[in-house]
Amino acid sequence: MNDQIVEFSNLLRRNGIRVSPSENMEALRALELVGVGDPHGFRTALRATLVKRFADMRLFEELFELFFLGFGKAVAESDRRLMAQLGLNPKEFQEWLEQVRSLLEHRKDHLSPIARALLAGDMGQVERLLREAAATEDGEAVERRVSVGVYSHRVAVAIQIDRVEQETADFLAWAESRGAAPEILERLARYLDERLKALSQLLRELAEQELRKSGQTPPGRERLEYLMQKSFSYYTAEDIRRMNEVVTQLARRFKNLLSLRRKKADRGRFDVKDTLRKNLQYGGVPFEIQLDRRKREKPQVIVLCDISDSVLNASRFMLQFVYSLQELYSKVRSFVFVSEVGEVTQLFEENEIQTAVEMALKGEVIDVYCHSNFGRAFDMFYREHFSAVTSKTTFLVIGDGRNNYNSPNDWVLKEIQQKAKQLIWLNPESRLTWGFGDSEMARYVPHCDFVEECRNIEQLYKVIDRIAA
Amino acid sequence: MFRSIDDVIRRLGEQKYICNKNVATVVYLACAMQKPVLVEGPAGVGKTELGKVLANSLGLELIRLQCYEGLDEGKALYEWEYAKQLLYTQILKDKVGEILQGSQSLKQAVDRIAKEDDVFFSEKFLLPRPLLRALVAEKSTVLLVDEVDKSDTEFEAFLLEVLSDFQISVPEIGTLRAKHLPLVILTSNNSREMSDALKRRCLHLYLDFPEPQREMEIIKLKVPGVGEKLVEEVAYLLQRLRKLDLKKKPSISETLDWVKALTLLNMKRLDDQLVQETLSTLMKYEGDIRKAEEELKRYLADRKTKLHAAAVESDKDLLH
Ligand SMILES: Nc1ncnc2c1ncn2[C@@H]1O[C@H](COP(=O)(O)OP(=O)(O)O)[C@@H](O)[C@H]1O
Ligand SMILES: [Mg+2]
């Protein structure tokens, strides 16, 4: 048991779930307490001691099934499908299996071990044979990081799947030659067909399991990592939906980092003047002490996000980020612009994320069918919302700075920088192209405390760390 | 303490808390292993309630520390009871005078007073806040650290220290060590990820929205006199609603509010009109309500075409 748990923890680690040695020990202790006779308790005990992040729970369930339950689930599913197809209840199905087995008995000399086990529905034996075949393949294939398809194909070759198919066909022909009734034959044909399907499904399952055991990332994760580096501008709608989780994490991280920066909680200092004043009523005896409690500073954020066509995908993503930020934080105000500026704070508050972002992009608050005009947007922001900027404000501009040769109005940024705590500009365009054509970045950059290229999530992560450092 | 996992289910049940085997197992382990539990999950699924009923069912005192942004050690651990200290110096004025008798200089006077420091900085003048109370209690307690995700990261670090050593040092007094380990329940709505270090200290429990069976039990328990048919319909409709893409999914507490409203209106089964009018007890966002109304229409249509039974089956499947 001990070894098995240690090995299982290793499997979790290889798949990116952090398990510490002390947690490992605790898992063992917990298992002693629930006892091995309780499968449900067994699973719960491992979950409670080894998996501490919600995001990892699903993966834990998958790995648990893979490690402790083997093919059990796939086999059960295949049997259920068979019963439905043949229109049999479990008892009748069992009887049918008996019939098939007795037929197989007559043909045992013409069937390879795996075909016999498969057709008899002896799936445990099938699993053992498959794993044996895989064991001989194993090392090399895994080393070279082959795909599930390639791996399962190799094992299929190793067990001579062609032969299994041939033998199955022969078996059916033989049954026919023996004069079986047409309806029995038809049922048998369906039965055999489903068994062959189950075999190829098991092969895939096996491949997935083996590859994953060796620590190759499951497909879902791989995709996330890939998305981390993919430029926003190439995002598909599907990508954007998938990013939800990551975006929320990012926003949380941002919030945490900002709050970390705040001074460590200060219990306040003795305030002589206030104390004396307050205690005049007690004849100057200081009954109530006055501490000079400095106000805790709540960081405030104002976001100004470009949603013009040139950066549409990036803004869709960044708006998701802004939305999550706003959800975590009471003091965020969000604005979007193409040429005129509109506030979306309330729109974000009242709608769920996808809808809210789409509404913002589709021109719910501003005209989006016009050309980018940063200068005009800045000027308008200055006239209508400048009073929202305070000395505690972190001001975030998101956009490519492409101004269609309009007047840049960079003085607004200067004003904002002077009044705000910090002014940050994130640009979804490659730094190499800044300042060329109608890009006004060269004029805007000097007024920012911090400017960064931000074309994918990985960069955004780094940016967030830098901002808060 | 609990004798077994089933014992947990039974005794929490006596406190009108319906828990599944999952929850019971973690609670059982936490008690037996004397480890804190970090309970995470959406709002209103019974995290706080779990801490409360746990104390009741074990007959232990419940000490609750509600976290919020800006909560600091003073509020969580102890403060000096300044007014009381002062009162004593006033009452003991003469005594103080005696001590100071014959001091040659201000410095000498201060030194003499300083010698008596520990009279005033003793446990007598210590105002214990929840954490300290749980540590020095004469009997074991249940310490409920509620909504720990709302606290700042610095406070989390401090909390971790306390939970690791179960002792704290008060500079003026010395080290105070827990006489009995409290049973600690931390709850979090997941508004931020807690640190790995804290999580390693704890067992983890994810509380999710309840399965339909459990939700029905809870409703019947908490809304006496509610009709059987209505409970069933409500529970299944909620399963469907929670699958929608909502800004905020309705929780158990909102379900209960809603059923109470429906019962007051003397509803026996869900029907279009009244349900629409009461949906605002279940959801608070305009957009969510709109989606819920559409889903309700579909649900009623399904019910008409007798798809109901089938839907129930598939719901069950999805949950297991
Ligand atoms: N398992 C349960 N059994 C009985 N009542 C429950 C259960 N879970 C939740 N409730 C009810 O829901 C309400 C909200 O639960 P609460 O603990 O405040 O949620 P949370 O702390 O998770 O936000 C409780 O007052 C309680 O009445
Ligand atoms: Mg709560």
Side-chain angles (χ1 to χ4, degrees):
Chain A
M1 175 51 81
N2 252 336
D3 292 349
Q4 225 186 343
I5 299 307
V6 172
E7 203 190 313
F8 181 59
S9 301
N10 286 335
L11 174 63
L12 295 180
R13 282 195 201 105
R14 279 198 299 274
N15 285 279
I17 299 180
R18 280 172 242 150
V19 179
S20 72
S22 68
E23 284 169 319
N24 225 325
M25 299 300 297
E26 250 136 40
L28 291 172
R29 255 180 80 202
L31 287 182
E32 271 169 30
L33 283 164
V34 295
V36 283
D38 174 2
H40 183 276
F42 180 83
R43 191 166 177 156
T44 308
L46 290 186
R47 191 191 299 116
T49 47
L50 299 177
V51 198
K52 310 286 173 77
R53 292 194 311 178
F54 174 62
D56 290 336
M57 300 226 322
R58 210 201 179 99
L59 187 56
F60 167 83
E61 304 301 334
E62 277 174 34
L63 292 172
F64 182 91
E65 274 167 20
L66 145 69
F67 192 87
F68 291 106
L69 307 183
F71 288 157
K73 224 171 131 187
V75 169
E77 255 161 39
S78 161
D79 278 359
R80 233 194 332 267
R81 244 191 338 261
L82 257 179
M83 281 185 256
Q85 263 186 31
L86 305 181
L88 300 175
N89 66 29
K91 187 163 161 286
E92 291 162 346
F93 183 61
Q94 214 47 49
E95 287 163 9
W96 164 253
L97 278 183
E98 291 309 323
Q99 275 177 295
V100 175
R101 281 173 194 157
S102 68
L103 281 181
L104 285 168
E105 196 53 32
H106 290 288
R107 291 284 290 172
K108 62 178 178 218
D109 299 334
H110 302 274
L111 293 164
S112 57
I114 189 154
R116 244 170 88 191
L118 179 73
L119 302 187
D122 185 357
M123 301 314 263
Q125 177 66 9
V126 174
E127 177 173 353
R128 272 188 293 283
L129 291 169
L130 286 183
R131 288 203 190 279
E132 263 171 39
T136 56
E137 275 299 307
D138 222 349
E140 181 206 358
V142 170
E143 277 307 303
R144 291 200 286 117
R145 305 199 135 247
V146 299
S147 71
V148 169
V150 170
Y151 189 97
S152 60
H153 176 69
R154 295 234 198 131
V155 182
V157 171
I159 59 163
Q160 298 184 303
I161 196 158
D162 298 354
R163 199 173 134 201
V164 175
E165 282 164 3
Q166 189 55 52
E167 286 170 355
T168 307
D170 292 349
F171 176 61
L172 185 63
W174 169 81
E176 193 176 2
S177 72
R178 291 273 309 253
E183 65 274 12
I184 296 288
L185 271 181
E186 194 202 322
R187 180 180 278 183
L188 186 61
R190 281 211 232 160
Y191 170 83
L192 297 175
D193 185 50
E194 175 60 34
R195 283 297 188 222
L196 286 176
K197 277 195 199 130
L199 179 62
S200 47
Q201 205 197 332
L202 289 187
L203 276 168
R204 275 196 81 80
E205 189 109 338
L206 175 81
E208 255 168 45
Q209 291 183 4
E210 292 300 320
L211 292 178
R212 188 177 264 167
K213 270 190 189 171
S214 70
Q216 293 202 18
T217 38
R221 296 219 152 189
E222 216 160 69
R223 227 174 120 57
L224 266 186
E225 261 156 47
Y226 156 74
L227 275 180
M228 296 285 284
Q229 286 152 16
K230 182 169 174 179
S231 166
F232 295 138
S233 26
Y234 302 124
Y235 269 29
T236 61
E238 178 55 26
D239 288 343
I240 290 169
R241 258 194 303 281
R242 284 179 49 88
M243 287 325 301
N244 242 329
E245 189 191 332
V246 178
V247 165
T248 321
Q249 267 180 21
L250 267 171
R252 269 187 203 144
R253 183 184 180 84
F254 189 58
K255 179 183 173 182
N256 281 345
L257 289 170
L258 281 187
S259 73
L260 248 180
R261 270 177 66 177
R262 278 181 283 164
K263 274 258 152 54
K264 211 175 141 66
D266 189 337
R267 296 184 68 184
R269 297 186 196 163
F270 183 73
D271 187 326
V272 181
K273 253 197 262 162
D274 257 18
T275 305
L276 285 180
R277 193 177 317 123
K278 187 95 194 197
N279 288 288
L280 277 177
Q281 47 178 323
Y282 309 119
V285 178
F287 262 99
E288 279 178 47
I289 235 167
Q290 284 307 110
L291 294 179
D292 153 33
R293 286 206 189 269
R294 262 166 277 167
K295 285 242 173 60
R296 295 188 122 258
E297 198 179 301
K298 279 203 177 192
Q300 304 168 353
V301 183
I302 294 181
V303 188
L304 193 55
C305 187
D306 173 13
I307 55 169
S308 63
D309 264 351
S310 60
V311 288
L312 189 60
N313 262 327
S315 14
R316 188 173 272 128
F317 176 79
M318 294 307 284
L319 282 180
Q320 287 196 344
F321 174 65
V322 173
Y323 180 98
S324 315
L325 204 61
Q326 204 181 299
E327 243 182 351
L328 288 174
Y329 238 146
S330 50
K331 302 220 165 157
V332 181
R333 288 185 66 182
S334 316
F335 298 87
V336 293
F337 69 94
V338 175
S339 172
E340 50 179 11
V341 171
E343 177 157 12
V344 290
T345 314
Q346 195 172 354
L347 187 118
F348 280 10
E349 267 163 21
E350 288 170 357
N351 293 280
E352 79 39 68
I353 184 159
Q354 299 300 347
T355 327
V357 168
E358 288 316 312
M359 279 165 87
L361 291 175
K362 291 232 173 74
E364 191 84 7
V365 290
I366 55 161
D367 177 12
V368 291
Y369 302 102
C370 54
H371 296 293
S372 282
N373 190 337
F374 279 67
R376 171 149 184 262
F378 287 156
D379 183 50
M380 193 168 156
F381 180 86
Y382 184 78
R383 277 185 286 113
E384 292 177 12
H385 305 288
F386 188 64
S387 59
V389 181
T390 73
S391 59
K392 291 171 199 147
T393 305
T394 292
F395 199 97
L396 193 60
V397 182
I398 300 167
D400 59 4
R402 297 215 164 261
N403 198 29
N404 281 307
Y405 305 102
N406 292 304
S407 156
N409 288 339
D410 41 326
W411 59 270
V412 176
L413 286 189
K414 191 171 166 196
E415 292 279 331
I416 292 175
Q417 192 201 19
Q418 275 170 4
K419 194 165 172 201
K421 184 157 127 206
Q422 55 179 348
L423 172 55
I424 297 165
W425 188 307
L426 302 181
N427 189 331
E429 211 181 65
S430 164
R431 202 181 263 275
L432 294 171
T433 58
W434 296 3
F436 289 101
D438 61 344
S439 164
E440 294 287 1
M441 285 312 282
R443 276 175 194 269
Y444 291 145
V445 168
H447 302 302
C448 300
D449 297 289
F450 180 80
V451 187
E452 197 53 85
E453 167 187 318
C454 186
R455 288 193 302 150
N456 57 35
I457 300 169
E458 206 166 75
Q459 280 176 337
L460 185 57
Y461 256 106
K462 285 189 191 138
V463 165
I464 285 173
D465 284 357
R466 287 266 309 269
I467 292 173
Chain B
M1 283 292 131
F2 297 109
R3 277 191 305 277
S4 65
I5 295 170
D6 288 333
D7 192 36
V8 178
I9 297 183
R10 193 177 54 75
R11 282 162 72 182
L12 294 190
E14 283 169 6
Q15 303 294 324
K16 300 206 170 179
Y17 190 85
I18 309 293
C19 70
N20 59 16
K21 234 183 139 199
N22 222 349
V23 177
T25 306
V26 179
V27 167
Y28 174 74
L29 286 174
C31 293
M33 296 166 79
Q34 300 203 308
K35 292 208 51 125
V37 189
L38 174 62
V39 189
E40 293 189 297
V45 292
K47 300 184 295 295
T48 305
E49 188 80 357
L50 176 62
K52 292 186 193 164
V53 296
L54 201 55
N56 279 341
S57 63
L58 291 169
L60 301 178
E61 185 193 354
L62 174 75
I63 298 181
R64 178 168 175 177
L65 174 63
Q66 174 65 47
C67 299
Y68 50 88
E69 211 175 324
L71 171 66
D72 57 23
E73 297 181 23
K75 289 278 176 313
L77 199 53
Y78 69 87
E79 281 174 315
W80 287 108
E81 217 167 347
Y82 177 73
K84 195 164 157 193
Q85 289 170 331
L86 205 71
L87 194 63
Y88 272 65
T89 55
Q90 291 296 304
I91 295 169
L92 299 175
K93 229 184 200 153
D94 298 341
K95 194 78 195 151
V96 174
E98 264 171 42
I99 293 170
L100 292 182
Q101 195 107 66
S103 301
Q104 303 294 326
S105 65
L106 193 58
K107 182 172 181 314
Q108 203 176 359
V110 170
D111 285 346
R112 284 192 190 180
I113 284 284
K115 268 201 207 119
E116 311 296 325
D117 250 8
D118 41 351
V119 176
F120 290 105
F121 290 98
S122 63
E123 285 187 50
K124 190 177 277 148
F125 297 103
L126 206 57
L127 190 65
R129 299 292 183 190
L131 284 183
L132 186 61
R133 268 174 46 219
L135 287 187
V136 299
E138 286 304 325
K139 272 185 66 188
S140 182
T141 58
V142 171
L143 173 63
L144 172 62
V145 183
D146 212 7
E147 307 192 343
V148 64
D149 53 330
K150 294 230 175 90
S151 67
D152 307 310
T153 18
E154 302 99 47
F155 183 77
E156 186 190 334
F158 161 72
L159 190 64
L160 177 64
E161 246 172 73
V162 176
L163 293 185
S164 307
D165 307 337
F166 286 104
Q167 64 176 39
I168 57 127
S169 79
V170 180
E172 295 87 347
I173 296 181
T175 302
L176 298 175
R177 194 163 282 117
K179 297 181 181 134
H180 306 275
L181 291 193
L183 179 57
V184 186
I185 305 285
L186 303 108
T187 79
S188 158
N189 283 337
N190 247 329
S191 74
R192 71 181 173 91
E193 194 81 50
M194 306 312 291
S195 73
D196 281 349
L198 183 76
K199 287 186 166 174
R200 270 201 295 276
R201 279 260 116 230
C202 302
L203 296 181
H204 190 260
L205 173 63
Y206 186 79
L207 260 194
D208 211 341
F209 296 111
E211 317 82 83
Q213 283 310 326
R214 191 155 64 96
E215 187 151 36
M216 284 174 9
E217 276 186 72
I218 296 173
I219 297 175
K220 281 188 253 176
L221 207 59
K222 295 271 164 122
V223 192
V226 64
E228 184 79 25
K229 197 77 209 149
L230 183 65
V231 175
E232 210 173 277
E233 293 198 347
V234 165
Y236 288 120
L237 178 62
L238 270 148
Q239 297 299 312
R240 292 176 63 145
L241 291 181
R242 291 190 188 119
K243 282 192 198 121
L244 300 178
D245 187 12
L246 300 177
K247 194 165 163 89
K248 169 150 189 339
K249 298 190 176 169
S251 69
I252 301 181
S253 39
E254 281 138 0
T255 307
L256 290 175
D257 288 344
W258 190 47
V259 176
K260 279 177 199 154
L262 293 177
T263 318
L264 277 179
L265 294 170
N266 219 356
M267 286 264 276
K268 297 282 180 267
R269 298 196 61 177
L270 291 183
D271 82 51
D272 210 3
Q273 187 60 35
L274 276 178
V275 170
Q276 291 217 8
E277 282 166 19
T278 51
L279 269 183
S280 57
T281 40
L282 197 59
M283 327 224 164
K284 61 175 194 244
Y285 294 102
E286 217 24 72
D288 286 358
I289 293 181
R290 225 172 318 122
K291 284 183 191 161
E293 279 168 359
E294 281 160 25
E295 184 65 20
L296 178 70
K297 287 211 186 79
R298 277 193 293 272
Y299 169 78
L300 291 175
D302 286 355
R303 192 175 72 181
K304 239 194 205 129
T305 51
K306 294 281 176 206
L307 270 174
H308 184 197
V312 169
E313 277 310 308
S314 75
D315 277 348
K316 275 182 193 155
D317 265 342
L318 277 173
L319 286 158
H320 293 289

